[in-house]
Amino acid sequence: VATAYRLGELADRLGGEVRGDTDAAIRGIATLDEAGPDQLSFWTHRRYRVAAENSRAAAILAGRECELAGHNMLLVDRPYAALALLLELYHPSAPPCPSVSPDARVDESAELGRDVQIGPFAVIAEGAALGDRAVVGAGSVIGAGCRVGEDSRLEPRVVLYAGTRVGRRCLIHSGVVLGADGYGFATVDGEHRKVPQVGRVVVEDDVEIGANTTIDRAMLGETRIGAGSKIDDLVMVAHGVRLGPGSLLVAQAGIAGSARLGRGTVLAGQSGVAGHLRIGDGVVVAAKSAVFNDLPDNAFVGGIPAIDQRRWKRTQALLKRLPEMRREIRELRARIDALEGVGDEED
Amino acid sequence: VATAYRLGELADRLGGEVRGDTDAAIRGIATLDEAGPDQLSFWTHRRYRVAAENSRAAAILAGRECELAGHNMLLVDRPYAALALLLELYHPSAPPCPSVSPDARVDESAELGRDVQIGPFAVIAEGAALGDRAVVGAGSVIGAGCRVGEDSRLEPRVVLYAGTRVGRRCLIHSGVVLGADGYGFATVDGEHRKVPQVGRVVVEDDVEIGANTTIDRAMLGETRIGAGSKIDDLVMVAHGVRLGPGSLLVAQAGIAGSARLGRGTVLAGQSGVAGHLRIGDGVVVAAKSAVFNDLPDNAFVGGIPAIDQRRWKRTQALLKRLPEMRREIRELRARIDALEGVGDEED
Amino acid sequence: VATAYRLGELADRLGGEVRGDTDAAIRGIATLDEAGPDQLSFWTHRRYRVAAENSRAAAILAGRECELAGHNMLLVDRPYAALALLLELYHPSAPPCPSVSPDARVDESAELGRDVQIGPFAVIAEGAALGDRAVVGAGSVIGAGCRVGEDSRLEPRVVLYAGTRVGRRCLIHSGVVLGADGYGFATVDGEHRKVPQVGRVVVEDDVEIGANTTIDRAMLGETRIGAGSKIDDLVMVAHGVRLGPGSLLVAQAGIAGSARLGRGTVLAGQSGVAGHLRIGDGVVVAAKSAVFNDLPDNAFVGGIPAIDQRRWKRTQALLKRLPEMRREIRELRARIDALEGVGDEED
């Protein structure tokens, strides 16, 4: 049974404000549709107003500007960040249970920090090192000479090829492959000869990487993921890419070889960036778009090829009117024919 | 050696009709190109008429309306469904061989139904439960408290995060990851703080999920895949998505967080649906398209952003004529210049 | 410590020419930015001229036509191919260490060639056969009756479903799944009935397949990857596809069922090819494009749907001018109105 907190207590913790009953007991958190009369819900996306109005929740967390009659409200400056704190409060992480499974194969030359946790059928190769409290899930494979920092967690079935470095407090989800060979071939007379890929992958601190994402090693030097970046599932980062800190790569996005992206890059879902490009800081690429040119800081682009996002939206709106434009051109031609005909008659 | 059936027997089983020799012996099924004179082939796609005409097959399965001179024909109402039945007849599934590998690690608190099959190096965590005749392939990892229904089959190297529920008669292919954390971060002053993902994934009965597909757990509540849905390889379903029953998600499609899709949704290959959308029943999204708006029942859409599919096709056809349209506008301008010049001379 | 070679020696090995000091000692290879004064770097992409000029490298490898003052230059016909040779010289592959891990489960009916290497927790099922010097990484699963040719290498956590055939000298990266069921369902009254997938996957010699790529088995017959093809990460090849030899499939590309692609096909990143198509030899599909029609030999196409690449680029350039075109049409209309007004006055 989860601990109950009074709504007023929660407001104090979050620096928020209660409209309504500060004594309401909150035993958990649930979505607007599913919350019961002892649960808090949240209204963080404008399209859910009706769901918020109809919610049976004991109280609703929302931004300070929100109005909603007939509900206890917990109003804060940043409702989504507040929600994160509340979820941590009501769903504390399971305590770590450090142990090395007798079914794991840990090379005797590997260095294990204090209180590491290694699951069954994991493999830790020669010269690899795990920081204190690092977790390696069942069936994961840590190649020779890899480094995994303190408090990082690899879920089951992650593969780190030899030489990969993962920083501290990272979370790597199942099926991720870090350090597979970059896609480099020299084509001579139609034959594709492999260019050896002898660089590595470096993942800095506080990075999260989603399920089945792949990040390839550099041909030489590094493929590097900047600190604090968050990568979603099924993303592809090619060899030699440098991704600035604090970046967000949404599901199924891809970055081709040797591209360099600045800090705070946002690639929305299914978007792509071509090889060798230079992308400034703070660039946002819309979903399903493809960047084929360098971009300055703070560019917001969309389309294939990606152009300024507002221009892209305008052209897409006009695109739908192409049939009408075509009809109009025909009408104008007919009218000019007529005018010229009038002229002919005048000759 | 496969059993032989007479063509007439097969017609009886399928409720079909023979044109030609009902006594022809059919020992197997093969493609039009590869079938030999004791095999049946099938003509289910119009573009293969020439291949059908040239086939050496003993007989050809096709729709009732098909005409093909010089071949024994087995004509049925639904040739593709009939083909499925014939493939089951000539290629019966291997009989199950229930057993728990001594190399699997099954927590003593896990509940195993009757006649389950668990491969080597599989891990079944505390409190997980497998229904009767469930199969867990080699190296798969079933997290704490998961449920896998009767007659469901997980191929090798599937991962179910804690709390995932898989219904009955499901087929989950290798590399699938169910229940990894949803992609939720609250950005405060450029720092992306993790929003705990404490919901789960629920896969209803009779679902198939293709290789290396990922379905993330909800932040709260459920990500739910409706009964009878079929999902192809490398598909991404984000946190909190609700997919209606009988849906089809073709390879590399993606659905962003909290979208709700109705029954019988079809997402063709490499298409996408943005977050929080409401998509009605029976909606079809063309390949490579991206849906950015809510859609009513039975919408058929294409393009980026997706619009009515016929309108999209028309605009794409016109797009190719843009150079001509532009030239025409210039010509019209020149003619107007001339007409205005005529006017000038008249002044 | 790596062996040092004189620049002149390297030129001899590559059939190249030195501009500058033939005696310069080269101890390794590094990128233009990172190379130190005892390392060789390479200038193989025109956009890096400034980096080349500023490089501290002892010498720079480049094409014969390149000019760069103040640097020792090693000029060759094919700099990228030469780089491949140099990388092999300075980074020789680790010698194989044949052994079968006692933690692998190898069925007694499996046939193992000489000097094979099998990692811990790998599974080799009944009737499978590995050629001489084949390598099966940790946690990989080789299904019943599979064949893996001589000198092929499967990295950790690869899955080959039963009956899959991999040729000689192939390299299959982690997370690859070969031979999962094709996506075939016969829909009857809204219910999707599985069409048994009883064919196989055949990968010919000298193929490389990137991390987490999936290639599905054929319904009947084969899905076949031609010799010498190179496939990147997260690519999807559907059931019954035939891919010609020497093809390149870049990351996140996809090919739908039964498509046949000629030799030397190039699918750039995130592109797709629809089902049942016939694509000639030497076809190139631009990044993010989708092919919906058959293509003749040597077609170079782009867009969705893909059209001739040059035409596509021209229409994309015009697209950006749609707002101007629309404005122009309005102006022309106004001028025609005026001209017709003039006519009216003349009446």
Side-chain angles (χ1 to χ4, degrees):
Chain A
V1 205
T3 321
Y5 295 88
R6 300 280 156 198
L7 188 55
E9 286 179 74
L10 297 180
D12 289 347
R13 283 171 179 261
L14 300 173
E17 174 193 356
V18 172
R19 296 260 170 88
D21 178 10
T22 56
D23 283 340
I26 308 294
R27 286 176 203 284
I29 309 174
T31 59
L32 290 166
D33 290 347
E34 290 165 0
D38 58 353
Q39 290 179 305
L40 178 100
S41 194
F42 49 96
W43 180 32
T44 55
H45 195 294
R46 70 196 142 72
R47 72 177 296 161
Y48 299 121
R49 167 170 279 278
V50 172
E53 286 170 354
N54 295 334
S55 180
R56 295 167 56 239
I60 294 175
L61 172 73
R64 294 217 189 247
E65 72 289 356
C66 292
E67 300 268 352
L68 204 66
H71 289 272
N72 293 321
M73 300 296 289
L74 171 45
L75 302 178
V76 298
D77 288 336
R78 302 174 185 281
Y80 197 44
L83 178 60
L85 293 174
L86 292 178
L87 285 165
E88 285 168 9
L89 185 67
Y90 283 97
H91 299 269
S93 307
C97 62
S99 68
V100 176
S101 166
D103 296 313
R105 286 297 159 266
V106 181
D107 190 88
E108 55 188 15
S109 67
E111 293 170 40
L112 304 188
R114 278 177 307 138
D115 295 336
V116 301
Q117 183 180 340
I118 303 178
F121 314 126
V123 177
I124 317 278
E126 62 274 17
L130 304 185
D132 296 345
R133 297 169 303 279
V135 176
V136 176
S140 285
V141 178
I142 311 297
C146 287
R147 298 269 173 280
V148 175
E150 297 167 15
D151 300 299
S152 278
R153 181 182 183 88
L154 278 58
E155 297 283 354
R157 284 213 303 100
V158 168
V159 175
L160 270 49
Y161 276 58
T164 298
R165 297 192 175 185
V166 172
R168 290 168 295 178
R169 298 174 303 277
C170 290
L171 175 53
I172 315 289
H173 284 285
S174 291
V176 167
V177 179
L178 301 183
D181 286 353
Y183 188 74
F185 302 92
T187 301
V188 176
D189 302 331
E191 189 196 338
H192 310 298
R193 294 187 194 161
K194 184 172 182 67
V195 179
Q197 303 288 309
V198 303
R200 66 157 72 102
V201 168
V202 178
V203 174
E204 299 181 351
D205 297 341
D206 299 301
V207 170
E208 181 164 343
I209 304 179
N212 283 349
T213 279
T214 67
I215 304 180
D216 284 355
R217 68 175 54 231
M219 177 178 69
L220 278 165
E222 298 174 353
T223 305
R224 182 173 280 265
I225 305 297
S229 293
K230 309 298 179 183
I231 301 179
D232 202 350
D233 299 3
L234 291 170
V235 170
M236 161 64 187
V237 180
H239 57 314
V241 166
R242 300 290 181 104
L243 178 68
S247 294
L248 299 173
L249 307 183
V250 184
Q252 297 175 316
I255 306 177
S258 300
R260 296 189 176 206
L261 300 95
R263 68 172 52 231
T265 300
V266 178
L267 301 189
Q270 300 186 333
S271 64
V273 172
H276 295 283
L277 298 185
R278 293 291 173 274
I279 305 297
D281 292 339
V283 167
V284 177
V285 179
K288 207 86 186 180
S289 302
V291 179
F292 293 132
N293 293 100
D294 290 356
L295 289 173
D297 289 354
N298 302 313
F300 179 17
V301 299
I304 308 169
I307 57 175
D308 174 76
Q309 157 78 359
R310 273 161 308 174
R311 191 165 185 98
W312 178 66
K313 282 198 122 173
R314 228 182 320 144
T315 54
Q316 289 309 115
L318 281 179
L319 245 192
K320 282 188 270 184
R321 302 224 187 114
L322 264 187
E324 287 82 351
M325 280 174 67
R326 194 160 182 243
R327 210 176 309 130
E328 202 157 5
I329 289 173
R330 281 187 190 154
E331 284 170 18
L332 295 184
R333 181 161 10 99
R335 289 169 66 187
I336 294 174
D337 286 348
L339 282 167
E340 287 175 339
V342 169
D344 285 349
E345 287 172 335
E346 285 181 343
D347 285 341
Chain B
V1 206
T3 321
Y5 295 87
R6 300 281 156 199
L7 188 55
E9 286 178 73
L10 297 180
D12 290 347
R13 283 171 178 261
L14 300 173
E17 174 192 358
V18 173
R19 296 260 170 87
D21 178 10
T22 55
D23 283 339
I26 307 293
R27 287 178 203 283
I29 308 173
T31 59
L32 291 165
D33 291 346
E34 291 164 359
D38 59 351
Q39 289 179 306
L40 178 100
S41 193
F42 50 96
W43 179 31
T44 54
H45 195 294
R46 69 197 144 70
R47 71 177 296 159
Y48 299 121
R49 166 171 279 278
V50 173
E53 285 169 355
N54 295 334
S55 180
R56 296 167 55 238
I60 294 176
L61 172 73
R64 295 215 187 248
E65 72 289 357
C66 293
E67 299 269 352
L68 204 65
H71 289 272
N72 293 320
M73 299 297 288
L74 170 45
L75 302 179
V76 299
D77 287 334
R78 304 174 186 279
Y80 197 46
L83 178 59
L85 293 174
L86 292 177
L87 285 165
E88 285 167 10
L89 184 67
Y90 282 95
H91 299 269
S93 306
C97 62
S99 68
V100 177
S101 166
D103 296 314
R105 285 298 159 266
V106 181
D107 191 89
E108 55 188 15
S109 67
E111 293 170 40
L112 305 187
R114 277 177 307 138
D115 295 335
V116 301
Q117 183 180 342
I118 303 178
F121 314 126
V123 176
I124 316 279
E126 63 273 18
L130 304 184
D132 296 346
R133 297 169 303 281
V135 176
V136 175
S140 286
V141 177
I142 311 298
C146 288
R147 299 269 173 280
V148 175
E150 296 167 17
D151 300 298
S152 278
R153 180 182 184 90
L154 278 57
E155 297 284 353
R157 285 211 305 97
V158 169
V159 175
L160 270 48
Y161 277 57
T164 299
R165 298 192 174 184
V166 172
R168 291 169 293 178
R169 298 174 302 277
C170 290
L171 175 53
I172 315 288
H173 285 285
S174 291
V176 167
V177 178
L178 301 184
D181 286 352
Y183 188 72
F185 302 93
T187 301
V188 177
D189 302 331
E191 190 198 337
H192 310 298
R193 294 188 194 158
K194 184 172 181 69
V195 178
Q197 304 287 308
V198 303
R200 64 156 73 103
V201 167
V202 177
V203 174
E204 299 181 350
D205 296 342
D206 300 300
V207 170
E208 181 164 343
I209 304 180
N212 284 349
T213 280
T214 65
I215 303 179
D216 285 355
R217 68 174 56 231
M219 179 179 68
L220 279 165
E222 298 174 351
T223 305
R224 181 173 280 265
I225 305 298
S229 293
K230 309 297 180 182
I231 301 180
D232 203 349
D233 298 2
L234 291 170
V235 170
M236 161 64 187
V237 179
H239 57 314
V241 166
R242 300 291 180 104
L243 178 67
S247 294
L248 300 173
L249 307 183
V250 184
Q252 297 173 316
I255 306 176
S258 301
R260 296 190 175 204
L261 300 94
R263 67 170 55 229
T265 299
V266 178
L267 300 189
Q270 299 185 334
S271 64
V273 172
H276 296 284
L277 298 185
R278 293 289 172 275
I279 306 296
D281 291 340
V283 166
V284 177
V285 179
K288 208 85 183 181
S289 302
V291 179
F292 293 132
N293 291 101
D294 290 356
L295 289 172
D297 289 354
N298 302 313
F300 178 17
V301 297
I304 307 169
I307 57 175
D308 174 76
Q309 156 78 0
R310 273 162 309 174
R311 188 162 188 99
W312 178 66
K313 283 199 123 172
R314 229 181 319 144
T315 55
Q316 289 309 115
L318 281 180
L319 244 193
K320 282 189 270 184
R321 303 223 187 115
L322 263 187
E324 287 82 350
M325 279 174 67
R326 194 160 182 243
R327 210 177 309 130
E328 203 156 7
I329 290 172
R330 282 187 189 154
E331 285 170 18
L332 295 184
R333 182 162 7 99
R335 290 167 66 186
I336 294 174
D337 287 346
L339 282 167
E340 287 174 339
V342 169
D344 285 349
E345 288 171 332
E346 286 181 340
D347 284 344
Chain C
V1 205
T3 320
Y5 295 88
R6 301 281 156 197
L7 189 54
E9 286 179 74
L10 296 180
D12 290 347
R13 284 172 179 260
L14 300 173
E17 174 193 357
V18 173
R19 296 260 170 87
D21 178 10
T22 56
D23 283 340
I26 307 293
R27 287 178 204 283
I29 308 172
T31 60
L32 291 166
D33 291 346
E34 290 164 359
D38 58 351
Q39 290 180 305
L40 178 100
S41 194
F42 50 95
W43 179 32
T44 54
H45 194 293
R46 70 197 143 71
R47 71 177 295 159
Y48 298 121
R49 168 171 278 278
V50 172
E53 286 169 355
N54 295 333
S55 181
R56 296 166 57 237
I60 293 175
L61 171 73
R64 295 215 189 250
E65 71 291 356
C66 292
E67 300 269 352
L68 204 65
H71 288 274
N72 293 320
M73 299 297 290
L74 171 44
L75 302 180
V76 298
D77 287 335
R78 304 172 185 281
Y80 196 46
L83 179 60
L85 293 173
L86 292 177
L87 285 165
E88 285 169 9
L89 185 67
Y90 283 96
H91 299 268
S93 306
C97 62
S99 69
V100 176
S101 167
D103 296 314
R105 286 298 158 266
V106 181
D107 191 271
E108 56 189 12
S109 67
E111 294 170 39
L112 305 187
R114 278 176 306 137
D115 295 336
V116 300
Q117 183 180 339
I118 303 178
F121 315 127
V123 176
I124 317 279
E126 64 273 17
L130 304 184
D132 295 346
R133 298 170 302 281
V135 175
V136 175
S140 285
V141 177
I142 311 297
C146 287
R147 300 269 172 280
V148 175
E150 295 168 17
D151 299 298
S152 278
R153 180 181 184 88
L154 278 57
E155 297 284 354
R157 285 211 305 98
V158 168
V159 174
L160 270 49
Y161 277 58
T164 297
R165 298 193 173 183
V166 172
R168 290 168 295 177
R169 299 175 301 278
C170 290
L171 174 53
I172 315 288
H173 284 285
S174 292
V176 167
V177 178
L178 302 183
D181 286 352
Y183 188 74
F185 301 92
T187 300
V188 176
D189 302 329
E191 189 197 339
H192 310 299
R193 294 188 193 160
K194 185 172 182 65
V195 178
Q197 304 287 307
V198 303
R200 64 156 74 105
V201 168
V202 177
V203 174
E204 299 181 351
D205 296 341
D206 299 300
V207 170
E208 182 165 342
I209 304 180
N212 283 350
T213 280
T214 65
I215 304 179
D216 285 355
R217 67 175 56 233
M219 178 178 69
L220 278 165
E222 297 174 352
T223 304
R224 180 173 280 264
I225 306 297
S229 293
K230 309 298 180 183
I231 301 179
D232 203 347
D233 300 2
L234 290 171
V235 170
M236 162 64 188
V237 179
H239 57 312
V241 166
R242 300 288 182 105
L243 179 67
S247 294
L248 300 173
L249 307 184
V250 185
Q252 297 174 317
I255 307 176
S258 301
R260 296 190 175 204
L261 300 93
R263 67 171 54 230
T265 299
V266 178
L267 300 191
Q270 300 186 335
S271 64
V273 172
H276 295 283
L277 298 185
R278 293 288 172 275
I279 306 296
D281 291 340
V283 167
V284 177
V285 179
K288 207 84 185 182
S289 302
V291 179
F292 293 132
N293 292 101
D294 290 357
L295 290 172
D297 289 353
N298 303 312
F300 179 17
V301 298
I304 308 169
I307 57 176
D308 174 77
Q309 155 78 357
R310 274 163 308 176
R311 190 165 186 97
W312 178 66
K313 283 197 123 174
R314 228 182 319 145
T315 54
Q316 289 308 116
L318 281 179
L319 244 193
K320 282 189 269 185
R321 303 222 187 115
L322 263 188
E324 288 82 351
M325 280 174 66
R326 193 158 183 245
R327 210 176 310 129
E328 203 157 7
I329 290 173
R330 282 189 188 152
E331 284 169 19
L332 295 183
R333 182 160 10 98
R335 289 168 67 186
I336 294 174
D337 286 347
L339 281 167
E340 288 175 339
V342 169
D344 284 350
E345 287 172 335
E346 285 180 342
D347 283 344

